[in-house]
Amino acid sequence: MLATLGHGHTRHARTRAGFIPNTDALASSWIKQVRDAAFELEDVADECSYLSSNDGRSWVEVRSWLALSRRLRRARERLRQLSAAKELYGIRPVNSRMLADSAHFIRKEEVVGFDDHEKKLLEWIAEDAEPQRTLIAVCGMGSIGKTTLVTRVYKEVATSHFEYAAWVAVSQGFTTDDLLGKILKELRRHSEFALRNACNNLVWDKSSDDLGIGEAASILNLSIDDLPHHLKKCFLSCSVYPEDLWLKRKILIRRWVALGLVQDKPGHCSAEDVADEYLDQLIQRNLMHPVAKNEFGRAKRCLIHDLIRELIIHRSREEERYWRFAMCKVAIDSNVRIRHLAVDRCEEVDCQHAPQLPKLRTFYAFGSELQPSVMSHFRLLTVLNLWFIEMKKLPDSVTNLHNLRYLDIRSTLIEELPKELGKLQKLRILDAKFSMVQRLRSSIAKLKALRHLIVLTRDTNDLLKSFPGKAAGISVGLQNLTSLQTFKYVQPSKKMVKSLSKLMQLRSLELSDVNAISNLGFVIVHL
């Protein structure tokens, strides 16, 4: 055991929850209140966006603007109070860059004058007959580099001489139980990485049997805790999908972008490219398992293990207010706050509580009985995902969802899109693959924010049979859709083909039945 003693005592320790151990309960309560305040600010921002898209000049909407102003002032005051409470109760986040942690980021070549001390410490630790019982104290006055020296030795011997290692910082008023608890948490955190990688070739039934469900779940919870914030939000959002569903890479990427979880990066790196990297990182961490790969060896479809899925369902409900119902009659408690709702093969969605879900952001329906009127109540909706729904007409009220970014009617019996679809000025993805839509309306050309347009008409009413399909028709030019990246399965017109030269962001293009305007036959272009 290495220890540093001196005037520069480190006062806080890093824990799995990310806050001082003796204030865990207080910190958890504070985090919940901050999350509520953040949701309120998000609601205000989305309401502003909604009203801005809806003209906003009527007397009713003027009153709405005034109400939003009052809500914004209250939310700002609440954040001010929470900030003061954090200082009052000494709640400290992990990323406060305390010396004990920041020393890990100092490169060896940046430190000089420690070579002899480092060599001596390495000899004492590595050559001791019983290293597991060794205690070495490094003493000295404050700020002379004790922590930096110990960090270098720790990094040197931790991986080469010991199966497990732990780095903890000890406060002045520590207790034995507190110190042992910190060491145990660090050992579990390190062993979790090794165990997770070892289980990769077992990705999970055998490993959970060997460990026990409780212990495996505990380790996997640590894996989720260890995720950076941006990866965690993307991963938790996967909790809405049905069990054992093979998640298509491109669908995941587009949905994360539509949810605003991923943004474009300066330097011509699109949000889709960033989301692609996020998915690769989740696969590398063994949280998602590739079940099919493309010709380049990259994951084409992924699967989430049942145990991991159960964990993220629980975590997403608690942290992000995702709620899902499977194979049941859905009746929503009016006291439950829901921002994301998924219904999976449910007999009936109880519409009487729909007006109590005005803050819903995403709605997913998989093979469920759904009344079209239910969607008219979700004014702030950003994602509408309908799969295997026997609805034949998408209600016109959908065009009043001014914040809608993702409209997915894949594998449905919907025959036509609303006439005023062009009102959805924020729509980024329109996926009508294997729907009954046979022709795109001219208003499609008004969707200037559209990035992905996929339309393929199914030939059968049997939702379980997708193939074969035929391309949908379109007669208008698309020169205004300058953000379009994907344009698939469309029977083109001369006007539309001429407009393609204006689509500088286009990456994937698939056209069929172009014989009428050229001798090209079937065209597939991937850029």
Side-chain angles (χ1 to χ4, degrees):
M1 178 182 289
L2 285 171
T4 62
L5 305 174
H7 298 293
H9 295 288
T10 302
R11 303 184 65 86
H12 304 299
R14 182 170 173 270
T15 71
R16 182 168 69 87
F19 290 85
I20 306 170
N22 61 353
T23 59
D24 274 350
L26 183 62
S28 296
S29 175
W30 182 81
I31 290 172
K32 183 180 183 302
Q33 294 179 66
V34 170
R35 185 179 292 125
D36 289 341
F39 284 149
E40 175 63 11
L41 284 173
E42 186 181 76
D43 289 342
V44 172
D46 286 349
E47 286 281 3
C48 287
S49 179
Y50 180 88
L51 291 175
S52 298
S53 302
N54 196 32
D55 191 13
R57 288 196 293 262
S58 71
W59 171 242
V60 173
E61 288 172 344
V62 168
R63 294 175 60 187
S64 297
W65 281 112
L66 293 174
L68 280 179
S69 178
R70 291 192 293 270
R71 287 174 60 186
L72 180 59
R73 286 197 298 269
R74 288 196 297 267
R76 292 176 62 183
E77 175 61 20
R78 183 61 182 145
L79 284 178
R80 189 194 66 77
Q81 294 172 354
L82 288 169
S83 179
K86 184 180 78 129
E87 297 300 321
L88 177 63
Y89 295 110
I91 300 172
R92 295 288 183 266
V94 170
N95 60 356
S96 57
R97 299 305 302 264
M98 296 170 291
L99 178 62
D101 284 333
S102 61
H104 282 270
F105 299 96
I106 299 177
R107 295 192 299 269
K108 188 171 184 177
E109 60 268 22
E110 294 182 86
V111 184
V112 294
F114 282 163
D115 291 344
D116 291 340
H117 299 295
E118 181 179 357
K119 182 178 179 181
K120 180 61 67 176
L121 284 175
L122 287 172
E123 290 177 356
W124 288 346
I125 294 174
E127 297 178 5
D128 195 283
E130 292 184 295
Q132 68 272 21
R133 297 184 181 179
T134 299
L135 171 63
I136 300 174
V138 180
C139 305
M141 62 184 299
S143 303
I144 64 171
K146 302 184 302 298
T147 302
T148 302
L149 170 62
V150 171
T151 301
R152 286 176 52 175
V153 175
Y154 172 81
K155 292 165 72 173
E156 180 75 23
V157 300
T159 56
S160 58
H161 292 81
F162 298 94
E163 185 175 358
Y164 297 108
W167 176 273
V168 296
V170 185
S171 62
Q172 286 180 316
F174 78 96
T175 63
T176 302
D177 289 343
D178 179 50
L179 179 58
L180 291 175
K182 294 175 186 176
I183 294 173
L184 178 61
K185 286 183 178 180
E186 280 295 299
L187 289 174
R188 289 185 65 187
R189 190 172 68 87
H190 282 271
S191 63
E192 176 270 329
F193 285 115
L195 183 58
R196 187 178 63 199
N197 291 329
C199 289
N200 188 35
N201 295 321
L202 295 178
V203 187
W204 273 106
D205 291 333
K206 184 179 185 303
S207 63
S208 60
D209 288 342
D210 291 343
L211 291 171
I213 296 297
E215 188 173 356
S218 178
I219 291 172
L220 292 173
N221 258 321
L222 290 175
S223 296
I224 298 173
D225 283 332
D226 190 61
L227 287 173
H229 180 70
H230 58 278
L231 287 184
K232 185 177 180 182
K233 290 183 75 70
C234 290
F235 188 49
L236 291 183
S237 75
C238 296
S239 65
V240 298
Y241 288 111
E243 186 177 9
D244 297 327
L245 179 69
W246 288 17
L247 306 178
K248 192 172 182 180
R249 182 188 196 99
K250 292 181 180 178
I251 291 179
L252 277 176
I253 288 171
R254 293 167 189 160
R255 195 171 66 83
W256 290 345
V257 173
L259 283 168
L261 302 179
V262 189
Q263 305 294 332
D264 293 328
K265 281 189 176 180
H268 306 290
C269 187
S270 70
E272 285 80 4
D273 292 331
V274 178
D276 208 20
E277 294 176 6
Y278 287 2
L279 182 57
D280 282 338
Q281 292 179 44
L282 290 172
I283 292 172
Q284 291 167 9
R285 290 170 177 263
N286 299 319
L287 291 173
M288 302 184 78
H289 175 63
V291 290
K293 297 184 178 181
N294 60 18
E295 60 271 26
F296 304 108
R298 303 190 70 187
K300 189 175 181 180
R301 288 181 174 83
C302 299
L303 184 67
I304 300 177
H305 185 270
D306 290 348
L307 181 55
I308 300 179
R309 180 175 168 274
E310 289 300 319
L311 289 176
I312 65 173
I313 286 175
H314 173 73
R315 297 287 294 268
S316 63
R317 177 182 296 186
E318 180 182 84
E319 299 179 25
E320 301 294 334
R321 295 179 182 167
Y322 280 86
W323 280 71
R324 69 183 314 278
F325 299 87
M327 295 180 284
C328 64
K329 180 178 179 180
V330 179
I332 301 170
D333 187 343
S334 59
N335 296 319
V336 173
R337 296 180 179 180
I338 300 178
R339 298 182 78 81
H340 311 275
L341 175 63
V343 291
D344 176 17
R345 293 162 289 174
C346 292
E347 296 179 1
E348 182 182 350
V349 179
D350 187 355
C351 298
Q352 65 176 337
H353 293 301
Q356 297 168 352
L357 297 174
K359 298 180 180 180
L360 201 68
R361 294 307 196 278
T362 64
F363 180 62
Y364 305 82
F366 306 105
S368 300
E369 293 183 14
L370 189 67
Q371 296 297 324
S373 60
V374 71
M375 288 173 282
S376 63
H377 302 289
F378 307 150
R379 55 185 273 136
L380 298 184
L381 208 65
T382 58
V383 173
L384 178 57
N385 195 129
L386 308 176
W387 283 5
F388 302 102
I389 301 296
E390 296 186 2
M391 184 188 302
K392 290 189 175 182
K393 187 178 186 300
L394 198 63
D396 291 337
S397 60
V398 167
T399 63
N400 294 323
L401 303 176
H402 302 300
N403 290 353
L404 197 65
R405 297 178 182 176
Y406 194 142
L407 177 57
D408 191 340
I409 56 172
R410 179 178 286 236
S411 298
T412 66
L413 299 182
I414 293 175
E415 298 175 350
E416 61 179 356
L417 297 169
K419 184 177 181 180
E420 297 185 350
L421 192 70
K423 291 171 60 177
L424 300 178
Q425 287 295 295
K426 293 185 176 66
L427 194 66
R428 292 187 174 191
I429 297 103
L430 174 56
D431 189 341
K433 188 174 182 180
F434 297 129
S435 70
M436 299 293 284
V437 174
Q438 299 187 35
R439 192 164 194 81
L440 292 174
R441 293 183 178 273
S442 59
S443 62
I444 202 80
K446 298 179 182 179
L447 301 176
K448 297 180 181 180
L450 202 62
R451 292 188 179 212
H452 307 278
L453 176 56
I454 305 151
V455 187
L456 186 62
T457 308
R458 65 188 305 115
D459 284 336
T460 173
N461 288 338
D462 186 350
L463 289 176
L464 298 180
K465 295 180 180 179
S466 298
F467 294 95
K470 60 183 180 181
I474 182 171
S475 59
V476 297
L478 303 177
Q479 61 273 9
N480 292 330
L481 306 187
T482 54
S483 298
L484 203 62
Q485 298 179 18
T486 305
F487 187 37
K488 284 189 174 183
Y489 315 120
V490 176
Q491 183 178 352
S493 64
K494 288 185 178 181
K495 184 182 293 187
M496 189 274 287
V497 170
K498 287 181 180 179
S499 69
L500 292 179
S501 62
K502 304 292 185 181
L503 309 183
M504 304 304 293
Q505 302 297 322
L506 201 61
R507 297 184 178 190
S508 182
L509 171 65
E510 297 191 23
L511 306 178
S512 65
D513 297 332
V514 295
N515 293 346
I517 57 173
S518 72
N519 295 321
L520 293 177
F522 189 82
V523 177
I524 299 180
V525 178
H526 292 283
L527 303 177

